[in-house]
Amino acid sequence: MPASSFISIQDVSKHFGSIVAVDDIDVEINRGEFFALLGPSGCGKTTLLRMLAGFEIPTRGEIFIDGEQMSGVAPYRRPVNMVFQNYAIFPHLNVFQNIAFGLRKDRLAGDELKTRVNNALSLIKMKEFGERKPEELSGGQRQRVALARALVKNPKVLLLDEPLGALDKSLREQMQLELRQLQKIVGVTFVFVTHDQEEALTMSDRIAVMSAGKVLEVGSPDDLYERPQTRFVAEFLGTMNVFDGSVHARDGDSYIVDTRDLGRIRAGVGAQEFSDGEKISVALRPENLKIVNSQTSEDIDGSVSGVMSNTAYFGNSAQVYVTLDGSEQALVVSIQNQDGAASNVAHGSRDITIGWSRSSVLLLKDA
Amino acid sequence: MSLWTRFPLLKGYALVSPAVLLMVLALISPLLLLVGISFTVETGSNDEWAFSLANYEFFFEKSHYVNSLGRSILISTMVACATVLLAYPAAYFIAFHVQQNKMLWLIMITLPFWTSYLLRVFSWKLVLGYNGVVNSGLMWLELIKQPLDYILYNTNAVVLTLAHAWAAFAILPIYVSLQKIDKSLIEAAYDLGENRFRTFMRVTLPLSMPGVVAALLLVFIPTVGDYVTPKLVGGPKGLMIGNLIQAAFGRLDNWPLGAAISVISMVTVTLVVCLYLYGIDRARRLMV
Amino acid sequence: MSGPPGKFNIGWLRGYTVVYLIFIYLPILLLPIFSFNDGIYVAFPMSGFTFQWWAEMVSQPGMHKALWNSIAVAVPVSLISTILGMMGAKALTSYPLYGARALTGMFTLPLVTPFLILGIALLITFKNYGINLSLFTVGVGHVLICVPFSLFVLLSRLESFDRSLEEAALDLGETPWIVFWRVTFPINMPGIVASLLLTFTISFDEFLLAFFLTGDASTLPIFIWSQLRFPVKLPSVLALGSAILVVTVFIVVVAELLRRKGSTRSTGKVI
């Protein structure tokens, strides 16, 4: 049944022989959204993207794009275009011919074709490069040509398969911003696949986190980072300290939770409800932990003591690794390097106490 | 939904089917027919045929035929070993010690393979003949008084000529397998204290064995059935099973016999190949 | 030269390789050398320079007919085998076919079966179905041995060919048939031309299958074979052989350069 959203992926599965690459996925994507499929390699994100493009046929389920059912529609008849992971620039054609490749069918008058290709070239700031051969282009330029070649077709959806994966780090950061701006200008729905959580967090409106063929959570970057619902998402996005625990009781606006490593602690009540005795995971972001000493004035609802085993210095911040007393587990604490705080810690006493506020303790369902 | 999208592999089978059809019609079914005919004899004058093992009995009764097959296997084994031994150092040199113009060397080495087989074999007759290049050259230089009559028309001439004619079949697979070897493996062996020879024996040679085996088989199998070389340079002592097969189809006009000799040859070659592969496998286990 | 330690025997290896190359080339080079020798025997000392044998070769009766027959077989054979080879290579590289290994194995069969046996098996088949021997039956035999060559040249070419280029073209709205002509064919052009040239030479030079499968019409190698019986014809056979060698070498060098250069550009590898 056609859904109200722009792209509707309904109960889609894809099997390759006995391997289940995509396992019963439902995702709705809105018009004009910058949507990320995020997950480790082999989680099925690329297969899902290729099913949107029409290169793979779902074993089960339906895909609708702008209300139209896509099953049985060949790739060359779909209103989507794709930017390939290696860009797939035709080596026997120059930049202009590459961008004009998909316009042959539109039977444009010579002038109009030129205008459209030149507009696309100026959109990617490569006006002067029309005559260049692909082997003369840098990685970043190839990526832009691939973008222009797809966008010049005015697709309803642009699919991007690890679009920045082949670029080096500084270029990647620059292209993240450019892609985001480009999407704002053209207003096309972007669906992109990445294994890089930082990339997904900085670029997307919404993210679907995938693992083992399933979509675990869908949400905005801050939703997923601040309020993850599952242990996998909590650990996959950023650094997270996770402990096993069980709910002791609910006490007003907080839960009382027993853990082996942290003892009995309090956690604020969030979106999820838990019953007494339920096995859960307790998660704490390193940046929400503080080193407690005599001058600490902030609200501390819980604390644990341990021995500092290691520090990693990042310039603007530092991570302190603490081995908890009476436990093998290490705790990661991130501290801002204000007024040389990091080196003070590094050279201070090795026995320290770590504290946190009740609201920063996250409780996650799947223990 | 069309048939093509429902069964995406159908297109692949459709594309490969003409070539498969060709193989079935022009290779498999002719070979089966050959086997079939080998079990027949002509019973009457008006093209009547009956099932019979007579051709096979005839073959094994004549020591002449059996010996000829044995000699062919022996000659081809010598050819395969000689070709591989001669080709290995050259392939090794190109794979490891040529940095620039690798392509040029490869083309140079494989080029003669593409020229006419007949002419390549024939040229050896010119080299080794009684009044040939070697004899006349040596006499001209006054190193010998009489032409050497033992260099042509014997087994050695056949081996030499075949080792030359099939050189490319040995050098290419060996080169490819050497080229694939990660150079850092060899450096690792040096680093672990092995000298050049031991490194070659323990790393390079075992890793290039697939190429060596492919080369041995690619030379051994086709040369068993060679007809042109023994005919031109073999003489009566260098005749091979291929000449007998040809004679059965030509002079003797006994096709069923010729078919039977062909089948016996193919079966024998297959058995010998299995034996060799088993032996190589055993040797490799002992070596490493 | 980034050789491993102990470079002393690299010079030895190089020397050996050069000797080996001489061993490979010398016998064949005798043909052109002695085709200009003013004498009937291929023997030293050489007697003098002459164009006589080349002139005799050109005017030989039967030679032109045989040359024409060879071309009439080799051109269609190279076209048909390259088309079949291309289709097969495309199928094997683009589709995860069941039994792909068995198919590949089957295609190597004509290369590892002695041509003599292929020849007589085909001979029996043609007789069995009442097909008269002619240039057509020679052509069938040649297509059988040329398809594997074409297939393997194009397989290695297509294996290094980036399939996402085809997907990109499909994605940009072209049907599979047009994608083949706008993307696959032009990018793999060097491999296709190499296949055409190589299969042409194989068919043009092939003797044994033609020996069994030709009827009254003879191809060039059959013509040469028949001339070898007459010692007086030997020098003009040398001239004819030399001419064939020169043409073959030229075609093969062009084909190899195309094949390797083309594949270097798209993959950066030599082979």
Side-chain angles (χ1 to χ4, degrees):
Chain A
M1 136 198 121
S4 56
S5 58
F6 192 57
I7 302 174
S8 176
I9 299 165
Q10 302 178 353
D11 308 323
V12 166
S13 296
K14 175 69 185 176
H15 300 207
F16 293 106
S18 61
I19 299 161
V20 183
V22 167
D23 189 5
D24 200 12
I25 279 183
D26 285 277
V27 175
E28 308 290 323
I29 299 169
N30 302 320
R31 189 189 292 268
E33 213 171 17
F34 200 123
F35 193 88
L37 297 170
L38 171 68
S41 62
C43 70
K45 56 193 191 299
T46 295
T47 306
L48 186 57
L49 193 78
R50 288 171 62 82
M51 286 194 281
L52 288 173
F55 296 127
E56 309 288 354
I57 299 159
T59 311
R60 269 198 306 278
E62 294 290 350
I63 292 171
F64 295 86
I65 294 176
D66 200 8
E68 280 181 63
Q69 189 173 336
M70 284 292 125
S71 57
V73 179
Y76 45 91
R77 299 222 168 80
R78 294 194 179 203
V80 303
N81 286 111
M82 182 145 161
V83 174
F84 288 77
Q85 185 169 15
N86 61 0
Y87 311 137
I89 306 292
F90 302 119
H92 60 305
L93 304 177
N94 65 23
V95 169
F96 186 96
Q97 291 163 330
N98 258 287
I99 295 174
F101 188 95
L103 298 176
R104 184 192 69 95
K105 276 204 158 163
D106 300 352
R107 304 208 186 286
L108 303 172
D111 286 348
E112 205 196 330
L113 180 102
K114 257 188 202 155
T115 319
R116 273 182 67 180
V117 174
N118 283 329
N119 285 347
L121 278 170
S122 46
L123 185 71
I124 56 167
K125 305 185 189 96
M126 283 180 66
K127 255 188 179 155
E128 314 299 320
F129 289 75
E131 298 299 313
R132 291 280 181 96
K133 291 293 261 179
E135 66 254 32
E136 299 165 351
L137 300 179
S138 69
Q141 288 168 333
R142 293 166 78 90
Q143 201 243 17
R144 290 180 213 204
V145 173
L147 266 172
R149 185 177 70 181
L151 285 173
V152 80
K153 295 271 295 173
N154 294 328
K156 288 180 176 173
V157 181
L158 186 74
L159 307 171
L160 304 102
D161 186 4
E162 300 267 5
L164 308 175
L167 307 178
D168 59 41
K169 191 166 184 289
S170 61
L171 190 57
R172 201 158 62 218
E173 279 165 7
Q174 181 200 336
M175 287 306 295
Q176 285 176 7
L177 288 174
E178 282 192 25
L179 259 184
R180 184 74 233 209
Q181 278 173 342
L182 190 69
Q183 195 257 347
K184 287 257 160 61
I185 295 169
V186 295
V188 172
T189 309
F190 277 32
V191 178
F192 91 111
V193 152
T194 181
H195 65 273
D196 184 333
Q197 41 105 358
E198 214 177 291
E199 198 171 289
L201 291 175
T202 38
M203 289 165 75
S204 337
D205 294 318
R206 284 195 309 146
I207 302 170
V209 182
M210 293 180 66
S211 169
K214 290 192 176 292
V215 169
L216 297 181
E217 288 181 49
V218 182
S220 65
D222 59 314
D223 256 351
L224 293 180
Y225 187 84
E226 310 276 350
R227 290 170 291 280
Q229 310 286 305
T230 58
R231 180 164 179 165
F232 181 87
V233 173
E235 289 186 307
F236 193 72
L237 294 179
T239 313
M240 185 72 96
N241 298 296
V242 185
F243 303 93
D244 295 333
S246 61
V247 177
H248 176 71
R250 179 163 176 169
D251 175 23
D253 61 350
S254 62
Y255 282 109
I256 298 166
V257 178
D258 286 325
T259 68
R260 198 173 61 84
D261 303 291
L262 306 175
R264 177 166 287 188
I265 61 170
R266 276 178 177 271
V269 174
Q272 295 189 92
E273 298 277 333
F274 302 94
S275 51
D276 291 359
E278 190 175 345
K279 296 270 182 220
I280 51 160
S281 297
V282 176
L284 286 160
R285 288 274 177 214
E287 62 267 29
N288 291 335
L289 295 173
K290 297 166 193 75
I291 294 171
V292 183
N293 52 33
S294 51
Q295 290 113 49
T296 305
S297 55
E298 293 142 282
D299 286 344
I300 298 294
D301 299 314
S303 68
V304 66
S305 59
V307 179
M308 187 168 69
S309 60
N310 211 344
T311 55
Y313 186 70
F314 295 119
N316 61 348
S317 69
Q319 287 198 337
V320 179
Y321 295 83
V322 180
T323 307
L324 299 180
D325 290 345
S327 158
E328 290 298 299
Q329 193 146 2
L331 191 65
V332 186
V333 181
S334 176
I335 50 174
Q336 287 304 305
N337 194 6
Q338 279 170 337
D339 308 323
S343 67
N344 288 344
V345 171
H347 297 108
S349 162
R350 285 169 53 81
D351 292 310
I352 53 177
T353 303
I354 307 297
W356 57 85
S357 73
R358 184 170 59 173
S359 60
S360 66
V361 180
L362 293 168
L363 301 185
L364 307 171
K365 275 268 184 199
D366 45 340
Chain B
M1 198 191 278
S2 80
L3 207 61
W4 295 128
T5 38
R6 195 131 33 115
F7 305 104
L9 288 186
L10 212 57
K11 228 176 195 168
Y13 288 113
L15 277 173
V16 82
S17 58
V20 171
L21 199 67
L22 174 77
M23 292 295 140
V24 170
L25 290 181
L27 179 73
I28 313 274
S29 81
L31 287 178
L32 291 178
L33 196 60
L34 183 78
V35 174
I37 279 188
S38 74
F39 288 105
T40 63
V41 284
E42 205 169 357
T43 51
S45 50
N46 45 351
D47 269 9
E48 283 184 20
W49 303 84
F51 175 81
S52 164
L53 291 172
N55 301 309
Y56 289 88
E57 286 164 10
F58 184 78
F59 179 91
F60 287 106
E61 278 164 11
K62 301 267 177 184
S63 60
H64 167 56
Y65 282 87
V66 178
N67 288 344
S68 178
L69 178 59
R71 187 167 56 238
S72 300
I73 299 281
L74 188 69
I75 288 178
S76 292
T77 305
M78 282 158 64
V79 169
C81 294
T83 314
V84 167
L85 281 176
L86 289 173
Y88 198 102
Y92 185 91
F93 175 74
I94 298 173
F96 288 130
H97 296 299
V98 174
Q99 312 296 323
Q100 281 137 19
N101 300 325
K102 242 184 184 138
M103 199 164 88
L104 186 76
W105 279 87
L106 276 175
I107 292 180
M108 286 240 301
I109 287 237
T110 48
L111 187 55
F113 161 71
W114 296 104
T115 62
S116 163
Y117 187 67
L118 183 63
L119 290 174
R120 270 180 290 156
V121 174
F122 174 64
S123 65
W124 277 101
K125 187 175 172 159
L126 301 180
V127 174
L128 301 173
Y130 190 75
N131 288 316
V133 173
V134 170
N135 274 332
S136 63
L138 292 175
M139 280 168 67
W140 185 37
L141 297 169
E142 294 180 346
L143 291 169
I144 53 170
K145 296 249 169 0
Q146 291 280 313
L148 309 170
D149 55 5
Y150 53 82
I151 56 174
L152 189 64
Y153 300 130
N154 59 27
T155 309
N156 294 337
V158 174
V159 173
L160 182 64
T161 305
L162 285 174
H164 174 262
W166 292 85
F169 269 91
I171 210 155
L172 273 183
I174 296 174
Y175 168 80
V176 170
S177 68
L178 285 171
Q179 184 68 21
K180 273 193 205 145
I181 296 177
D182 184 351
K183 305 288 179 288
S184 62
L185 293 175
I186 294 168
E187 286 168 0
Y190 288 133
D191 184 62
L192 294 169
E194 291 290 42
N195 62 25
R196 273 183 87 84
F197 178 73
R198 296 285 301 162
T199 299
F200 176 78
M201 293 304 287
R202 292 186 66 192
V203 180
T204 318
L205 186 59
L207 288 175
S208 65
M209 266 325 254
V212 171
V213 172
L216 284 172
L217 298 186
L218 279 175
V219 176
F220 175 77
I221 297 171
T223 50
V224 176
D226 197 33
Y227 164 74
V228 176
T229 306
K231 180 91 180 167
L232 283 180
V233 304
K237 278 178 274 174
L239 280 188
M240 291 170 72
I241 199 73
N243 304 87
L244 297 181
I245 295 173
Q246 197 277 329
F249 278 87
R251 200 158 37 81
L252 301 178
D253 199 23
N254 187 347
W255 288 22
L257 176 65
I261 306 175
S262 307
V263 172
I264 292 168
S265 307
M266 285 194 289
V267 170
T268 313
V269 166
T270 311
L271 290 178
V272 172
V273 164
C274 293
L275 196 72
Y276 286 170
L277 285 178
Y278 176 74
I280 290 169
D281 192 50
R282 284 291 297 272
R284 190 156 35 169
R285 273 158 214 262
L286 291 177
M287 209 162 65
V288 186
Chain C
M1 204 124 298
S2 70
K7 288 179 184 166
F8 57 90
N9 59 14
I10 289 170
W12 184 89
L13 258 183
R14 182 200 301 276
Y16 173 83
T17 308
V18 171
V19 171
Y20 184 74
L21 271 178
I22 293 170
F23 163 70
I24 285 182
Y25 275 90
L26 206 57
I28 304 167
L29 288 179
L30 289 175
L31 265 58
I33 292 171
F34 279 93
S35 72
F36 295 109
N37 181 35
D38 190 7
I40 254 206
Y41 298 108
V42 177
F44 287 111
M46 296 172 76
S47 6
F49 186 85
T50 180
F51 277 119
Q52 183 192 345
W53 311 123
W54 284 78
E56 192 175 293
M57 179 268 286
V58 171
S59 61
Q60 238 170 357
M63 195 279 278
H64 293 111
K65 184 71 187 147
L67 173 65
W68 172 244
N69 284 343
S70 278
I71 294 173
V73 171
V75 168
V77 161
S78 64
L79 277 171
I80 292 169
S81 347
T82 301
I83 291 171
L84 293 190
M86 184 68 197
M87 289 167 72
K90 185 87 185 76
L92 288 173
T93 49
S94 301
Y95 301 88
L97 301 183
Y98 299 103
R101 284 178 64 99
L103 284 178
T104 316
M106 187 175 75
F107 290 125
T108 57
L109 262 183
L111 300 180
V112 296
T113 311
F115 282 8
L116 178 77
I117 288 178
L118 291 183
I120 58 168
L122 280 169
L123 176 66
I124 291 171
T125 308
F126 288 135
K127 280 280 149 128
N128 193 44
Y129 294 106
I131 300 166
N132 288 326
L133 298 182
S134 64
L135 292 180
F136 170 75
T137 49
V138 175
V140 171
H142 284 181
V143 168
L144 175 66
I145 56 170
C146 285
V147 163
F149 272 99
S150 169
L151 184 91
F152 288 116
V153 165
L154 293 169
L155 258 187
S156 73
R157 177 80 208 180
L158 288 181
E159 267 162 9
S160 60
F161 169 67
D162 182 2
R163 282 216 61 214
S164 64
L165 292 172
E166 286 176 341
E167 288 185 342
L170 285 174
D171 186 67
L172 292 167
E174 296 292 14
T175 59
W177 177 243
I178 303 289
V179 168
F180 178 81
W181 290 109
R182 285 191 76 191
V183 176
T184 320
F185 184 75
I187 294 178
N188 293 296
M189 195 62 177
I192 291 166
V193 174
S195 161
L196 284 172
L197 294 176
L198 293 179
T199 49
F200 178 88
T201 16
I202 291 170
S203 167
F204 192 77
D205 283 339
E206 205 286 325
F207 167 70
L208 209 47
L209 286 172
F211 181 64
F212 281 101
L213 299 179
T214 191
D216 303 326
S218 57
T219 61
L220 214 43
I222 301 285
F223 176 76
I224 291 176
W225 179 258
S226 67
Q227 299 290 297
L228 290 180
R229 272 176 292 170
F230 313 111
V232 280
K233 296 276 180 66
L234 182 61
S236 66
V237 168
L238 293 183
L240 181 55
S242 313
I244 296 175
L245 281 184
V246 170
V247 173
T248 308
V249 165
F250 175 76
I251 292 178
V252 171
V253 168
V254 171
E256 285 287 276
L257 285 175
L258 274 174
R259 192 166 75 82
R260 294 176 194 277
K261 187 172 185 174
S263 68
T264 316
R265 202 178 60 179
S266 69
T267 67
K269 281 184 289 185
V270 178
I271 256 200

